[in-house]
Structures are given as structure tokens and as C-alpha cells.
Amino acid sequence: MSNKGQVPTGRHRVVIIGSGFGGLFSARALKRADVDITLISSTTHHLFQPLLYQVATGILSEGLIAPSTREVVARQKNVEVIFGHVGDIDLDEKRVTATALDTTQTYEYDSLIVAAGAGQSYFGNDHFARFAPGMKSVDDALELRGRIFGSFELAEIAAAAGRDDEVAALMTFVVVGAGPTGVEMAGQISELSRRTLKRDFRNIDPTDARVILLDAAPSVLGAFGDRLGAKAQQRLEKMGVEVQLGAKVVDVDGTGIEVEDADGEHRRIDSICKVWAAGVQASPLGKQLAEQSGAGIDRAGRVEVEPDLTLPGHPEVFVVGDMISLDKLPGVAQVAIQGGRYAAKQIKHSVKDEQREGPFHYKDKGSMATISRFSAVASIGKVRLSGFIAWVMWLAVHLVYIIGFKSRITTLLHWAVAFLGKARGERTTTEQQIYARLAIQRLGDDFTPSLNIDRGPGLGSGAGKAAPDKTAPDKAASDKAPEATAAS
């Protein structure tokens, strides 16, 4: 049984799925509208994803780029925030079903905005994820932080014991994907090894670390054009990053990565710490929406929406951000922000019985990527910038879009410490950060976390019956715990 999660008020009901850029900005754009908003998200925070790599490399704390969604909209009285995983959308009944542990709730809507975002894509090789985490969530960034700093720690132990062959693999970092995320990650790992950790060890020299940036494409930052891509590559190589293009990853395991070069030759790179920064896959909710509405869906799971961001035959349902396939729009924050605001405007018109606006038009505000401290590239209209000026612009733009004055000031201070000095204040790592994802996977698809509450009749799913105790793995699962190695 499911319970309704709403108290009827008679006002227009807007359900928003996702607390990312599309979801949050659409909710804020409806602040003064005569509507009741239910914002459902599988996380309790709004994630500023472009700065995840700085969490992974110890520059920023996760709290600075992922403030509480409730805190962000606390003063917006027409928004109710719900934590839950949306598993079903019924377009005919205009109903959304979400689950949080033992509780399943349904939410009815008059207008629906689906902004569930996208996850990492391994291009059909999902088993790569075990050894090469992506970077799409706070959990991903914290795991990578543990793996990166942990590799240096294990290299120190191996060097002290004279196991030089292990040291080489532990101090080789491979980043797959030469887009903005990959370039930024490779640059920061290089700076970390050559500046921050330079004098911290006794048996290894962190400056000897190899940082390899791989991509099957022929250029770095292909979307930025040949000129900026070449400048980015030159800067990376000057920092000691090995840029290997035309290199397709064909296998990944605990101790290395198999690569096929453009000439068909295969080779192996011995590396314990790998980062996957190539490819995205839209939320699986996109497939549900496509099947029910008859909309098309592309290889990345993105829904082919109407020009006004709605589903065919369902003008009350808007899809925004990384989930849409329309006019070859890029999967960047600005598409989600502008799409969310546009959807909110259309809903306002509907509430007032006004004619809706015309098709959605994306205003390209440019693209930026930082390479290292004092160096970035920026493509804004016909303007192409690189170096220090582009880096200052990158700082300013990212500060503007960080939510909250306190977070902006604290971020600026962290940047001053990291970029003007050598220290990084967020180097804490734990075993749970590294192994929790793998441990959960070992529990299997049948594992469902539970509060084990005996609910009486009318108290939601599981009513009148105690849920199975799945808060801890059984002995068989415990016996299969992940190996305590950096390669796991």
C-alpha cells in the first residue's frame, strides 16, 4: 500500500523531480506563483556538479558545493521538499511514486517538471565502474579523494618495504575522458602531486607521479575548438600530464587498464587509481516517459521532447536539463537552468489561463574549463580566451552560481589557500568512502535498506507487518566483503 504524500489545498499542484540546476531553478522561479510545489529528490542537497573534482582533490569540502535543499528554499513557503527515489511516473493518472526506505508515497500533479539529471556512462561496460569510479555525485568525489590520497599512502608503505614495482602502479593516475571534467581532474592531480604533497613523504617523491589523460577522440576539449584544445593540451603537458589521444579503453581491472590505439595496437597501463570522466547516461526515468508518451529516446537515454520541452501529448509534463534531446543542446548547467526557468514561466501562464510562450530557445553563455591554477580556457560566442584572464573569468562565474553567500566566501578562502599557497584543507579520507559503494554492490540487487519498523494499519507500506531486517548484511554477505586494497 502507498500513502498520498500531499495535503489538498485546491491550488495548482506542481511536482518537480530532482534538486539539481533544473529542479532548483524551476522551483525558485515559481516563488510568487499561485501554486503548491512538491520537490522530490533522491538526495537532500543541491549539487554544484562542476566543482566535484575540487572535492575529489582536497580543495573544497562537499558542504560548500552541496548545500541542503531545505535550507536553500526554506523561505519559499510554497515549496515542500521530499526525500525519495522516484521509481514510477504514471502520465495517465498524473501521479508520481517515490520511495524512501520502507515508505512509499504517491504525489498527484497538475504540472510535472522532470529534472532527474544524468549519471556516468561506461558505454556498455558497466563492470569498469568497480575499478574506475565516475564523478557525478558527492559519494563519487569522496571515494575518489580516498583513492587518490590513499594511493600515495600505499606507495609510501611499498617504497619503505622495497617493493618498487608496486610503487610505480600506485603512483600512476589515469583519467579517462579529455572533456572539461577530465582535463580539470588531470590538472589538479598533477598540481596535487607536484605542489601540495611535494614534501610530505619520506620514502617516495610525489613529484614522480605519472598522470595520464586518455581519450579515444583526436583532440582535447573537442567542443572548445582546435585552438583552445591545443592550448589546453600544451598547458597540461607542461605540467607533466601525459596526454594520450586516439586511445580507446577496452578493459579495466584492479591493477591497470587495457588500451587500443588508433593503429589497432593493444597495450596495458599499470595503474591502481583510475578516474572515469567520459560519457553520460540520462536518468532511467527518461525511458519510462518515452514509453508512455511515444517520445523518442537517444542512445544516452535522453528524451526527444517537443520544442516547448514537453512530452508529446502531455503539455503538462516538462523535461529539462541532461534528460532532453533537442537541437543538439549540450549537457551543461545553463541548459538546465534556462530550461527550468522556461518551464516555470509556462506553468505560470497555464495557472493564469494565459497563452503560453513559443518554443524554448537556449542562450549560449559560453563554456569554460580550468586547467590549473592561473590557467583556463573560455569560449564565449566568437571570443576565445586562454590563460590567466580566462581563469579569473572562470573563478567569477563559478562563484556567482554557488548557492549562498556563506558558501561563496568560504569557497573563495579555500581557493586562496590552494591556489596562492600549497595547502589543501580537505584531505581527510576514510575506508568507508573508498569501500562503501563496493560493499553495497556485493549485497546484491535484492538488498533493500530498512528501518525495520512494525507499522500498524494505515501507516504506509509494510503496514501490519515487520519489514525484514536488512539494515546489515548477513554472514554470507559479510564473508564477501571487498578486498582491503586500493585496487578493489
Side-chain angles (χ1 to χ4, degrees), residues 1 5 12 37 40 69 153 188-189 224 243 289 320 347 387 486:
M1 293 290 293
H12 189 95
I37 305 168
I40 309 171
T69 308
E153 296 295 340
Q188 282 307 312
I189 294 176
F224 285 70
V243 180
L289 297 175
V320 302
I347 291 171

Side-chain angles (χ1 to χ4, degrees), residues 425-481:
E426 301 296 333
R427 289 170 55 175
T428 302
T429 65
T430 68
E431 286 188 347
Q432 287 191 26
Q433 290 176 357
I434 303 172
Y435 302 127
R437 175 178 64 93
L438 300 175
I440 292 172
Q441 289 177 357
R442 288 289 183 93
L443 292 174
D445 294 336
D446 293 335
F447 170 71
T448 304
S450 169
L451 292 176
N452 198 26
I453 295 176
D454 186 0
R455 288 187 168 92
L459 292 180
S461 60
K465 180 180 178 182
D469 185 4
K470 295 182 179 179
T471 56
D474 57 22
K475 185 177 185 302
S478 299
D479 291 341
K480 296 179 181 178

Side-chain angles (χ1 to χ4, degrees), residues 284-453:
L285 290 177
K287 184 178 180 181
Q288 276 194 44
L289 297 175
E291 289 175 347
Q292 294 183 55
S293 67
I297 193 167
D298 67 13
R299 294 178 62 184
R302 293 174 296 207
V303 183
E304 296 176 1
V305 295
E306 298 292 318
D308 63 352
L309 303 185
T310 62
L311 292 177
H314 292 274
E316 76 283 359
V317 180
F318 297 86
V319 187
V320 302
D322 292 343
M323 292 186 66
I324 66 170
S325 175
L326 177 69
D327 300 334
K328 297 182 180 179
L329 292 175
V332 296
Q334 273 299 322
V335 171
I337 291 171
Q338 293 179 34
R341 287 171 171 167
Y342 171 85
K345 280 185 180 181
Q346 301 291 61
I347 291 171
K348 288 179 183 178
H349 289 312
S350 296
V351 170
K352 296 178 181 179
D353 290 326
E354 298 174 348
Q355 184 176 355
R356 289 187 174 187
E357 296 180 4
F360 171 68
H361 293 291
Y362 170 59
K363 297 178 181 178
D364 188 355
K365 295 188 176 182
S367 301
M368 297 180 179
T370 181
I371 304 166
S372 64
R373 69 190 192 110
F374 310 146
S375 180
V377 293
S379 175
I380 306 170
K382 296 182 179 180
V383 178
R384 302 290 183 268
L385 298 171
S386 62
F388 183 75
I389 294 177
W391 183 75
V392 172
M393 292 177 62
W394 180 92
L395 290 179
V397 169
H398 283 69
L399 272 180
V400 168
Y401 282 102
I402 289 177
I403 302 294
F405 177 77
K406 179 180 68 175
S407 292
R408 292 184 186 125
I409 295 299
T410 308
T411 297
L412 191 59
L413 292 174
H414 277 266
W415 282 347
V417 170
F419 297 145
L420 299 180
K422 297 180 180 180
R424 300 196 178 192
E426 301 296 333
R427 289 170 55 175
T428 302
T429 65
T430 68
E431 286 188 347
Q432 287 191 26
Q433 290 176 357
I434 303 172
Y435 302 127
R437 175 178 64 93
L438 300 175
I440 292 172
Q441 289 177 357
R442 288 289 183 93
L443 292 174
D445 294 336
D446 293 335
F447 170 71
T448 304
S450 169
L451 292 176
N452 198 26
I453 295 176

